[in-house]
Coordinates of all heavy atoms in Angstrom, one line a residue:
Q20 N 65.1 141.8 56.9 CA 63.9 142.5 56.9 C 64.1 144.0 56.7 O 63.4 144.7 55.9 CB 63.1 142.3 58.2 CG 61.8 143.1 58.4 CD 60.8 142.6 57.4 OE1 60.8 141.4 57.0 NE2 59.9 143.5 57.0
M21 N 65.1 144.6 57.4 CA 65.4 146.0 57.2 C 65.9 146.3 55.8 O 65.5 147.3 55.2 CB 66.5 146.4 58.2 CG 66.9 147.9 58.2 SD 67.9 148.4 59.6 CE 69.4 147.3 59.4
L22 N 66.7 145.4 55.2 CA 67.1 145.6 53.8 C 65.9 145.6 52.9 O 65.9 146.5 52.0 CB 68.1 144.5 53.4 CG 69.5 144.5 53.9 CD1 70.2 143.2 53.7 CD2 70.2 145.7 53.3
Q23 N 65.0 144.8 53.1 CA 63.8 144.7 52.2 C 63.0 146.0 52.3 O 62.3 146.4 51.4 CB 62.9 143.5 52.5 CG 63.6 142.2 52.2 CD 64.0 142.1 50.7 OE1 63.3 142.5 49.8 NE2 65.2 141.5 50.5
E24 N 63.0 146.6 53.5 CA 62.2 147.8 53.7 C 62.9 149.1 53.2 O 62.3 150.2 53.2 CB 61.9 148.0 55.2 CG 61.0 146.9 55.7 CD 60.8 146.9 57.2 OE1 61.4 147.7 57.8 OE2 60.0 146.1 57.7
L25 N 64.2 149.0 52.9 CA 64.9 150.2 52.4 C 64.4 150.6 51.1 O 64.0 149.8 50.2 CB 66.4 149.9 52.4 CG 67.1 149.7 53.7 CD1 68.6 149.3 53.4 CD2 67.0 150.9 54.6
D26 N 64.4 151.9 50.8 CA 64.0 152.4 49.5 C 65.2 152.6 48.6 O 65.1 153.4 47.6 CB 63.1 153.6 49.6 CG 63.9 154.8 50.3 OD1 65.0 154.6 50.7 OD2 63.3 155.9 50.4
V27 N 66.3 152.0 48.9 CA 67.5 152.1 48.0 C 68.0 150.7 47.8 O 67.7 149.8 48.6 CB 68.6 153.0 48.7 CG1 68.2 154.4 48.7 CG2 69.0 152.5 50.0
R28 N 68.9 150.5 46.9 CA 69.5 149.3 46.6 C 71.0 149.5 47.0 O 71.6 150.4 46.5 CB 69.4 148.8 45.2 CG 67.9 148.7 44.8 CD 67.7 148.3 43.3 NE 68.1 146.9 43.1 CZ 68.7 146.5 42.0 NH1 68.9 147.3 41.0 NH2 69.0 145.2 41.9
I29 N 71.6 148.6 47.8 CA 72.9 148.7 48.3 C 73.8 147.7 47.7 O 73.5 146.5 47.6 CB 72.9 148.6 49.8 CG1 72.0 149.7 50.5 CG2 74.3 148.6 50.4 CD1 71.8 149.5 51.9
A30 N 75.0 148.2 47.2 CA 76.0 147.3 46.6 C 77.0 146.7 47.6 O 77.4 147.5 48.5 CB 76.7 148.0 45.5
K31 N 77.4 145.5 47.4 CA 78.5 144.9 48.2 C 79.6 144.7 47.3 O 79.5 144.0 46.3 CB 78.0 143.6 48.9 CG 77.2 143.8 50.1 CD 77.0 142.4 50.8 CE 76.2 142.6 52.1 NZ 76.1 141.3 52.8
S32 N 80.8 145.3 47.6 CA 81.9 145.0 46.7 C 82.4 143.6 46.9 O 82.1 142.9 47.9 CB 83.1 146.0 47.2 OG 82.7 147.3 47.0
P33 N 83.0 143.0 45.8 CA 83.4 141.6 45.9 C 84.2 141.3 47.1 O 84.1 140.2 47.7 CB 84.3 141.5 44.6 CG 83.8 142.5 43.7 CD 83.4 143.6 44.5
L34 N 85.0 142.2 47.7 CA 85.8 141.9 48.8 C 85.0 141.6 50.1 O 85.4 140.8 50.9 CB 86.8 143.0 49.1 CG 87.9 142.8 50.2 CD1 88.8 141.6 49.7 CD2 88.7 144.0 50.4
F35 N 83.8 142.2 50.1 CA 82.9 141.9 51.2 C 82.4 140.5 51.3 O 82.1 140.0 52.4 CB 81.6 142.8 51.1 CG 81.8 144.3 51.5 CD1 82.7 145.1 50.8 CD2 81.2 144.8 52.6 CE1 82.9 146.4 51.2 CE2 81.3 146.1 52.9 CZ 82.2 146.9 52.2
V36 N 82.3 139.8 50.2 CA 81.7 138.5 50.1 C 82.7 137.4 49.7 O 82.4 136.2 49.7 CB 80.5 138.5 49.2 CG1 79.4 139.3 49.8 CG2 80.8 138.9 47.8
M37 N 83.9 137.8 49.3 CA 84.9 136.9 48.8 C 85.2 135.9 49.9 O 85.5 136.3 51.1 CB 86.1 137.6 48.3 CG 87.1 136.8 47.5 SD 88.5 137.8 46.9 CE 87.7 139.0 45.8
G38 N 85.2 134.6 49.6 CA 85.4 133.6 50.6 C 84.1 132.9 51.0 O 84.0 131.7 51.1
E39 N 83.1 133.8 51.2 CA 81.7 133.2 51.4 C 81.2 132.7 50.0 O 80.4 131.8 50.0 CB 80.8 134.2 51.9 CG 81.2 134.7 53.3 CD 80.4 135.8 53.9 OE1 79.3 136.1 53.2 OE2 80.7 136.4 54.9
M40 N 81.7 133.3 49.0 CA 81.4 132.8 47.6 C 82.6 133.2 46.7 O 83.5 134.0 47.1 CB 80.1 133.5 47.1 CG 80.2 134.9 46.8 SD 78.7 135.6 46.1 CE 79.4 137.1 45.3
D41 N 82.6 132.6 45.6 CA 83.7 132.9 44.6 C 83.2 133.8 43.6 O 82.4 133.4 42.7 CB 84.2 131.6 44.0 CG 85.4 131.8 43.1 OD1 85.7 133.0 42.7 OD2 86.0 130.8 42.7
P42 N 83.5 135.1 43.6 CA 83.0 136.1 42.7 C 83.4 135.9 41.2 O 82.9 136.5 40.3 CB 83.5 137.4 43.2 CG 84.7 137.1 44.0 CD 84.4 135.8 44.6

Side-chain angles (χ1 to χ4, degrees):
Q20 178 65 28
M21 182 168 59
L22 282 170
Q23 293 302 323
E24 294 173 355
L25 294 176
D26 58 359
V27 293
R28 303 178 72 210
I29 298 172
K31 284 189 176 182
S32 298
L34 192 60
F35 281 63
V36 294
M37 197 177 295
E39 296 175 9
M40 67 177 203
D41 185 346

